Amino acid sequence: MTTSLRASDTLTRDALAVLQPGFAGTSAPSWLLRQLDEGLTSVGLFGRNIDSPEQLAVLTEQLREVRPELLVAIDEEGGDVTRLEARTGSSYPGNLALGHIDDPDLTRAVAHELGSRLAAAGVNLNWAPSADVNSNPDNPVIGVRSFGGDPELVARHTVAYVEGLQAAGVAACVKHFPGHGDTAVDSHHAVPRIDADLATLRGRELVPFAAAVDAGSKCVMSAHILLPALDASRPGTLSSAALTGLLRAPRAEGGLGHEGLIVTDGMEMQAISATYGLERGSVLALAAGADAICVGGGLSGEDTVLRLRDALVGAVRDGELTEERLADAAARVRGLAAWAKGARSRSDAGGPTGPGLAGAQGGIGLEAARRALVVTGLEGYRRPSGPGYVAALTPLANIAVGDETPWGPAAELERMIPGTRTGTYGSTDGDVAATVLADAGDRPVVAVVRDLHRHPWMAQAVEALVAARPSTVVVEMGLPQAPPQGALHVATRGAARVCGRAAAEVIARG
């Protein structure tokens, strides 16, 4: 296949346009500015890139000085998954809390306020919300990131979130298509498999995505999961049956009719990179119907961008990827970048608000976290008369959440009850209950857990603590699947900073 110099230059620019790379640092490296000038049209931001909203605004302005029509993407779900507030914890509860409240107006308002913060900092594409139906409570990567286990509930809150976010001028990206909720494997580490038949998928996993497409979501993110009912050999991100035959195809042909951008989940995740390789996986994803290649959560240098650019150009020259498919994908990326450039000026400055929440004390995020609490044992509970001891029973954080973001009510309890102390315990700490009691001394104990039902060591420790000291307070900040235990049990449905504060208010004040 021969290619003219001009055509070669077009191929190169198109190959750069479909990449959404990350980078290191809180200012733009010279290589990134150079690649933006060469044709790169998107960047992805992570916690490592953000010190403050003011710094972020300077950074995004620096990028747009080179490419005014630029997609600046971020993984800002609120709740447990936050990049904007990675160092402090989120000001907004996550999806499970909002789904439990089941007030779509509130969800819309939370998404709008979060979107307004992103837009003010120059971010115009949010890899959120998660539209996964949490049908498997043992799921190690979704959990509180889902609005719940009922497809219709998840659908109405997904739609509300999309509407709120896009009204603020930020493109929504519903994920993880065709649905990551019924998996027991984290695709950061391996390829999950869902063996449900197509009828089950259409009646469960696909319901929120269909609703989001109808609501005009600008973007859908693919998942690296194998669904044999759709494709027996390739995961969703690499499957033309999933991306072109199902997501993109018109409703009249049995598809969802999505006309916007399709972006992949992170291609460096082991489900793709360890199975197909980064370059090969990216070529297959574009050929299958993806428009944008997300890479950069763990890879953040110019070498990655150049490797992928050259792999895509080479695939076109070798006939493995058509020039038309690459051009179509690049045009979709540029089209969304053009929409995003003007969206902020067209957005509803007032925005939606939940009933009675516009001026809520502590902000809409805290008020939502308070509404999401389920408290058991409050009638007989006596608030502590002095400083207590907070024992954080901490599982390994999944990669999507990260381990740098603080969680739990300890900081707020220390502020409300001066002298309160805290300790962190894990599965390798031996007899956790005995260690906690020794560390606590005579102080009242608050045991903080996350997905107690998924961690036998944690369940054993809490049972022993409550047996030895019945006054123990238990705070569940994950999925509240286990029966309530302790003198007081507080279920927050998420570990955002505001969820910790809401729980601390109940413990400190009764």
Side-chain angles (χ1 to χ4, degrees):
M1 177 179 178
T2 60
T3 307
S4 69
L5 181 62
R6 181 173 180 179
S8 177
D9 181 65
T10 299
L11 281 179
T12 299
R13 295 185 72 83
D14 284 350
L16 283 171
V18 302
L19 302 180
Q20 287 190 355
F23 59 96
T26 54
S27 60
S30 58
W31 72 260
L32 181 60
L33 299 176
R34 181 168 58 250
Q35 294 305 322
L36 288 172
D37 188 53
E38 291 291 325
L40 190 68
T41 309
S42 306
V43 297
L45 299 177
F46 299 88
R48 64 183 180 232
N49 303 120
I50 302 169
D51 280 336
S52 68
E54 295 76 18
Q55 166 268 324
L56 179 57
V58 171
L59 169 59
T60 57
E61 182 62 28
Q62 182 186 15
L63 298 174
R64 288 196 171 91
E65 287 176 358
V66 179
R67 181 160 295 277
E69 291 191 352
L70 176 69
L71 286 177
V72 179
I74 198 168
D75 195 6
E76 184 59 48
E77 299 176 16
D80 291 31
V81 179
T82 178
R83 311 304 178 215
L84 201 59
E85 299 181 278
R87 290 167 175 77
T88 60
S90 181
S91 300
Y92 306 95
N95 285 5
L96 191 66
L98 295 171
H100 173 72
I101 298 167
D102 197 12
D103 178 353
D105 287 339
L106 173 62
T107 297
R108 189 177 296 105
V110 167
H112 186 272
E113 186 168 298
L114 179 57
S116 296
R117 287 193 180 188
L118 292 174
V123 178
N124 54 16
L125 171 60
N126 192 6
W127 294 320
S130 169
D132 305 296
V133 178
N134 198 43
S135 49
N136 183 352
D138 290 329
N139 193 313
V141 68
I142 301 300
V144 297
R145 299 168 66 197
S146 168
F147 289 111
D150 175 64
E152 295 297 335
L153 179 145
V154 175
R156 62 178 170 266
H157 286 277
T158 297
V159 167
Y161 200 104
V162 167
E163 291 173 345
L165 199 61
Q166 293 187 171
V170 175
C173 183
V174 293
K175 59 187 183 185
H176 308 79
F177 181 84
H180 213 312
D182 192 22
T183 61
V185 173
D186 185 346
S187 53
H188 289 88
H189 304 298
V191 181
R193 177 185 174 115
I194 297 178
D195 286 312
D197 58 31
L198 189 56
T200 299
L201 295 176
R202 288 192 180 277
R204 189 179 63 187
E205 272 76 15
L206 297 181
V207 172
F209 290 100
V213 168
D214 288 346
S217 180
K218 295 294 180 182
C219 186
V220 175
M221 176 179 282
S222 68
H224 309 327
I225 56 177
L226 187 68
L227 296 100
L230 291 174
D231 190 322
S233 60
R234 288 181 176 172
T237 293
L238 310 184
S239 169
S240 60
L243 300 187
T244 302
L246 181 58
L247 179 55
R248 186 73 79 193
R251 288 291 176 90
E253 299 175 11
L256 272 60
H258 177 59
E259 297 180 354
L261 196 73
I262 299 176
V263 62
T264 71
D265 206 345
M267 296 298 284
E268 69 269 32
M269 294 163 65
Q270 294 297 297
I272 299 296
S273 62
T275 307
Y276 298 89
L278 192 64
E279 293 93 333
R280 172 74 175 157
S282 297
V283 170
L284 291 174
L286 263 292
D291 304 307
I293 302 296
C294 175
V295 61
L299 301 171
S300 56
E302 186 174 25
D303 176 65
T304 299
V305 172
L306 297 180
R307 283 167 53 200
L308 293 180
R309 179 201 67 185
D310 293 345
L312 295 176
V313 170
V316 172
R317 289 174 171 164
D318 293 342
E320 187 176 9
L321 177 66
T322 69
E323 187 172 350
E324 292 76 17
R325 172 79 272 270
L326 180 60
D328 172 65
R332 290 182 187 277
V333 174
R334 294 181 185 120
L336 183 56
W339 174 88
K341 182 181 179 184
R344 183 56 182 151
S345 62
R346 299 190 302 268
S347 66
D348 175 10
T353 58
L357 290 172
Q361 183 180 6
I364 191 173
L366 178 57
E367 187 63 23
R370 289 167 176 158
R371 288 178 62 183
L373 292 182
V374 174
V375 182
T376 305
L378 189 59
E379 290 182 1
Y381 173 69
R382 290 186 178 183
R383 66 182 185 178
S385 57
Y389 188 80
V390 180
L393 309 189
T394 306
L396 292 175
N398 71 61
I399 293 175
V401 173
D403 57 9
E404 75 275 13
T405 303
W407 66 285
E412 291 294 337
L413 283 171
E414 291 170 5
R415 181 179 63 81
M416 295 176 187
I417 308 174
T420 294
R421 293 169 49 202
T422 186
T424 301
Y425 306 86
S427 59
T428 60
D429 288 337
D431 189 338
V432 172
T435 305
V436 169
L437 291 172
D439 292 345
D442 295 332
R443 294 165 178 261
V445 173
V446 177
V448 187
V449 299
R450 212 169 182 172
D451 292 345
L452 180 75
H453 68 286
R454 291 183 49 239
H455 304 287
W457 71 269
M458 194 184 294
Q460 293 168 8
V462 169
E463 183 178 1
L465 278 172
V466 172
R469 192 168 296 182
S471 62
T472 298
V473 172
V474 178
V475 181
E476 169 62 86
M477 304 200 80
L479 281 175
Q481 293 292 119
Q485 300 178 71
L488 184 72
H489 185 275
V490 183
T492 63
R493 289 172 169 77
R497 175 172 53 83
V498 287
C499 296
R501 178 174 170 182
E505 290 173 347
V506 173
I507 296 167
R509 300 169 187 170

